[in-house]
Amino acid sequence: MANSYNILLLGSGGRESALAWKLRQSPLCARLFIAPGNGGTSAFGENIPQAPTDFESLKTFCIENKIDILLPGNEDPLVAGIQDFFKADEDLRHIIVCGPSKAGAQLEGSKAFSKKFMQRHGIPTAAYRSFDKHSFEEGLDWLSQHLLPVVIKADGLAAGKGVIIAYTYEEARAAYTAMIQEAQFGEAGSRVVIEEFLMGIELSVFVLTDGEGYVLLPEAKDYKRIGEQDTGPNTGGMGAVSPVPFADEAFMEKVIEKIIDPTIHGLQLERITYQGFIFFGLINVHGEPYVIEYNCRMGDPETEVVMPRLDEDLVALIVDMEKGKLSNRQARQKPQQACTVMLVSEGYPGEYSKGKAISGLEKVEGSLVFQAGTKSGIEGLVTSGGRVLAVTSLAENLDDALATSYRNAELISFEGKHCRRDIGWEFRKED
Ligand code: AMP
Ligand code: GLY
């Protein structure tokens, strides 16, 4: 057995910065490469220019650099079948891939697939029906009798934008028609799921599974809306906290028994190869957990609080995953409270400009700054995306963690810097 591993991490966001930070701490990590990475990931490894979905050039790179572990951070390469590509190739087969097969990635890649999967395995989720262009009229009829609000979802990947919560029939019909008939989300919207609206608080639960056993990672709650008190349009995520106060032992027992165990058992029964992270997007409806969505990867910005709270060697966990040794493994969690606050570009999630100089990072004390939409060049560190930096802090309580993140957020500057001021609002003791 190798005692150190060359690792290739795919992606370029805050999630990948937090993963790179965590991998770098492991004595089992030899060389770490990030494709394509960002302005911050180069502090933990070497950025390489390959795109995460360019399998052929990743293949060449893996062979030339003797890569032992491939960790896709984002869903695109997984949904496009990178695991199958590696396992079908004689020269790549020996590489540990931390991520599911294309079939497994359908849990995220197709909402119609994941809803049917949950139905087959009795996993609690919102009641639904799915329609396509052949059943378009039937879907319109169904919509007109549905209770409001009603949730309308494009089947495929739509970068988090394919979900509409409609409060009027007019809005519902318009969203449904735009998805199916006007191909608003291209192929992703050619099939549409119409589902019941669930009222409750959301949380994100993560496991790393070897296909049979799994370890539970720290749970988190993210704040998706741009505006304070959860108003305005959805974003990729404006901040997160971990742990989640209502996810106590009794609640997590229900999550394990009703959701995690049946999901992993279901994958096994259906002979779907799944070694990697499963992200359960859950909602707590009067103390009962329901699945809103599955993702086949870690969350962003959740990873920016989950990794700092994970008191384990991530490379060792991935190696144990490969060996099928996760059944008897527990992942220790740091008892502290963690929060992350995203600093975003002015205008995000709408249009925003890039290339703004970032300064003040050297003044930060007591927080970890995970870079997301940043780029470093001859002109120094500049913004290159909507979500720019995640400022993570750990403390004995959430108020202190937030105070540290907000204090440090003030010390960082770039033109148009914006953040939500109320991360963790429903769990705070102050105010
Ligand atoms: P998704 O892309 O499936 O995660 O949906 C995006 C967001 O829409 C979720 O994070 C929820 O806030 C909301 N959402 C999705 N489905 C439902 C539902 N059935 N009931 C209430 N809210 C939902
Ligand atoms: N924070 C939600 C996601 O990563 O999909």
Side-chain angles (χ1 to χ4, degrees), residues 303-322:
T303 306
E304 291 92 306
V305 288
V306 170
M307 287 301 140
R309 286 199 61 235
L310 177 64
D311 199 8
E312 293 283 340
D313 180 327
L314 180 59
V315 182
L317 282 178
I318 293 172
V319 173
D320 281 353
M321 172 201 82
E322 172 75 1

Side-chain angles (χ1 to χ4, degrees), residues 2 26 46 93 125 158 184 190 245 293 305 309 371 394 399:
S26 169
E46 295 164 56
R93 195 167 290 158
T125 188
Q184 189 186 12
S190 61
E293 62 164 353
V305 288
R309 286 199 61 235
Q371 299 193 22
L394 284 154
D399 285 346

Side-chain angles (χ1 to χ4, degrees), residues 15 222 224 236 279 293 295 297-302:
R15 167 183 47 218
D222 80 341
K224 288 202 173 82
F279 166 166
E293 62 164 353
N295 294 304
R297 43 142 182 111
M298 290 297 293
D300 194 352
E302 290 96 326

